[in-house]
């Protein structure tokens, strides 16, 4: 397991050895497990119960989860092209309390579930911000504040039945944002990462841990030092799986570029600046899921 997805101890990131390990795993394979983090196991379990409840709501209620300016922030029903996937989300709830209120009101969320979503959303945003900060510090960037970066609290349901064993639940892709911090299902798993040899490796879950995946913005922001991991989801067993977490997107102004200090250290700028929205829209309109950054590459 350690060779497939390294494990990073969040409480030891003040130690030089663990910081070096963090940087190395961000460089390749571009994903890692986080243990000894700040989110209580009870809150993780409570949030999973809420996610199950939300996805069991009637379709006409779930459809009230309308997307904001970011398409991934609303309800996405299973479709002919993605028959095993269903998603819901809230965009920027830490900076926009109204987004949270609208989500809860539109879906008739109970006071108890509302409190769990609020606590979990704050906790995972804080953890994602802190992990991003530690990743930046591993490159020598200490003056970047990730707490204001917008994120999506996203929930995903995969429905695996006997007749779809071996089918693709999520095509091979890289995530668009800086990082994805995911609480994946501890029982039903089909996540696979592709290695340098083009071989797919299964990513078994670790109960109580979070999976961190570097995205396209993370690759460009790090001046190409961090790897935007390619991954997919395959139906390997029957059951219903739930994954959810924080999709940390980009700086609030949408400008994606490597810090000047990092460019000076590397003696080259590998990508020209661009807007997050432009990259997101390019992936949506073209249908491309990997190798989407060549259009911005300088060298």
């Amino acid at each position: 397991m350690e060779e497939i997805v390294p494990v990073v101890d969040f409480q030891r990131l003040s130690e030089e050895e663990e910081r070096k390990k963090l940087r190395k795993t961000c460089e390749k394979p571009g994903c890692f497990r986080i243990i000894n983090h700040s989110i209580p196991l009870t809150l993780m379990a409570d949030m999973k119960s809420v996610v199950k409840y939300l996805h069991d709501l009637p379709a006409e209620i779930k459809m009230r989860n309308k997307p904001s300016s970011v398409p991934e922030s609303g309800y996405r029903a299973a479709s002919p092209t993605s028959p095993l996937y269903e998603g819901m989300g809230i965009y920027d709830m830490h900076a926009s309390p109204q987004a949270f209120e609208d989500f809860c009101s539109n879906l008739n969320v109970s006071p108890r579930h509302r409190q769990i979503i609020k606590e979990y959303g704050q906790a995972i945003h804080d953890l994602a911000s802190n992990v991003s900060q530690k990743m930046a510090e591993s490159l020598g960037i200490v003056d970047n504040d990730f707490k204001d970066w917008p994120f999506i609290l996203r929930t995903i349901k995969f429905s695996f039945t006997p007749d779809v064993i071996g089918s693709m639940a999520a095509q091979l892709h890289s995530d668009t944002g800086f990082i994805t911090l995911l609480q994946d299902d501890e029982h039903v798993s089909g996540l696979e990462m592709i290695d340098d040899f083009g071989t797919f490796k299964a990513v078994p879950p670790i109960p109580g841990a979070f999976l961190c995946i570097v995205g396209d913005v993370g690759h460009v922001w790090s001046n190409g030092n961090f790897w935007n991991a390619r991954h997919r989801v395959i139906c390997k067993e029957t059951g219903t799986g739930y994954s959810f977490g924080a999709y940390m997107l980009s700086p609030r102004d949408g400008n994606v570029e490597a810090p000047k200090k990092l460019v000076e250290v590397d003696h080259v700028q590998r990508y020209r600046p661009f807007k997050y929205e432009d990259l997101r829209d390019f992936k949506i309109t073209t249908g491309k899921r990997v190798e989407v950054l060549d259009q911005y590459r300088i060298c």
Side-chain angles (χ1 to χ4, degrees):
M1 175 63 191
E2 182 72 13
E3 294 181 356
I4 301 172
V5 178
V7 176
V8 173
D9 189 330
F10 185 74
Q11 292 186 3
R12 293 182 55 203
L13 283 175
S14 59
E15 303 173 13
E16 182 178 0
E17 182 179 350
E18 201 69 11
R19 288 197 301 269
K20 289 181 178 179
K21 183 179 184 180
L22 174 63
R23 173 166 178 169
K24 183 178 179 180
T25 191
C26 286
E27 293 173 344
K28 279 292 180 75
C31 60
F32 53 94
R33 291 282 181 186
I34 302 173
I35 62 171
N36 292 329
H37 50 75
S38 55
I39 301 183
L41 295 178
T42 52
L43 181 56
M44 295 174 70
D46 286 345
M47 185 61 185
K48 183 172 183 179
S49 296
V50 173
V51 170
K52 286 181 177 180
Y53 170 80
L54 292 174
H55 280 278
D56 283 343
L57 289 171
E60 60 268 22
I61 294 180
K62 289 184 285 191
M63 290 178 66
R64 298 174 189 169
N65 177 209
K66 302 292 185 182
S68 64
S69 57
V70 179
E72 300 91 341
S73 59
Y75 174 63
R76 177 180 168 186
S79 66
T81 56
S82 299
L84 312 181
Y85 173 100
E86 180 184 79
M88 305 175 74
I90 313 174
Y91 172 68
D92 213 18
M93 61 178 285
H94 70 294
S96 176
Q98 190 60 48
F100 168 73
E101 292 298 331
D102 290 345
F103 177 87
C104 293
S105 297
N106 291 337
L107 274 64
N108 301 323
V109 176
S110 70
R112 171 59 179 159
H113 285 177
R114 181 184 294 246
Q115 185 62 31
I116 292 171
I117 296 171
K118 185 176 182 179
E119 290 182 10
Y120 187 90
Q122 182 62 58
I124 199 166
H125 170 259
D126 290 345
L127 181 59
S129 300
N130 289 331
V131 169
S132 299
Q133 187 67 48
K134 296 297 184 183
M135 290 167 58
E137 290 174 0
S138 75
L139 293 173
I141 307 300
V142 298
D143 57 351
N144 206 89
D145 185 5
F146 291 89
K147 292 190 179 299
D148 186 51
W149 285 33
F151 85 108
I152 301 173
L153 179 62
R154 186 78 176 156
T155 71
I156 298 170
K157 174 185 177 182
F158 288 111
S159 301
F160 296 158
T161 54
D163 58 307
V164 296
I165 295 293
S167 300
M168 194 85 65
Q171 298 286 335
L172 180 67
H173 67 284
S174 58
D175 292 344
T176 308
F178 187 80
I179 61 168
T180 298
L181 192 60
L182 200 65
Q183 179 180 332
D184 47 350
D185 198 284
E186 63 269 31
H187 301 299
V188 180
S189 177
L191 181 64
E192 294 182 340
M193 296 286 176
I194 190 169
D195 63 17
D196 290 341
F197 303 100
T199 302
F200 286 98
K201 303 287 189 179
V203 181
I206 298 182
F210 282 92
L211 178 66
C212 185
I213 304 173
V214 178
D216 300 328
V217 170
H219 178 72
V220 173
W221 185 93
S222 67
N223 204 32
N225 286 285
F226 295 161
W227 181 247
N228 48 338
R230 281 70 162 168
H231 51 288
R232 69 181 186 182
V233 179
I234 298 290
C235 175
K236 299 180 178 180
E237 57 186 327
T238 59
T240 303
Y242 300 89
S243 299
F244 46 95
Y247 288 66
M248 186 74 76
L249 303 183
S250 70
R252 185 161 295 278
D253 62 8
N255 292 323
V256 179
E257 61 180 315
K260 291 182 179 179
K261 181 179 178 180
L262 191 53
V263 173
E264 292 172 358
V265 171
D266 292 341
H267 304 294
V268 65
Q269 183 171 357
R270 296 187 174 94
Y271 294 91
R272 63 177 176 84
F274 61 86
K275 285 286 190 178
Y276 169 81
E277 292 81 5
D278 292 340
L279 174 61
R280 180 198 67 207
D281 292 346
F282 174 81
K283 295 179 80 169
I284 292 173
T285 56
T286 64
K288 292 191 68 174
R289 299 178 175 89
V290 295
E291 309 301 336
V292 297
L293 297 174
D294 290 346
Q295 58 186 317
Y296 306 116
R297 187 184 299 276
I298 298 174
C299 63

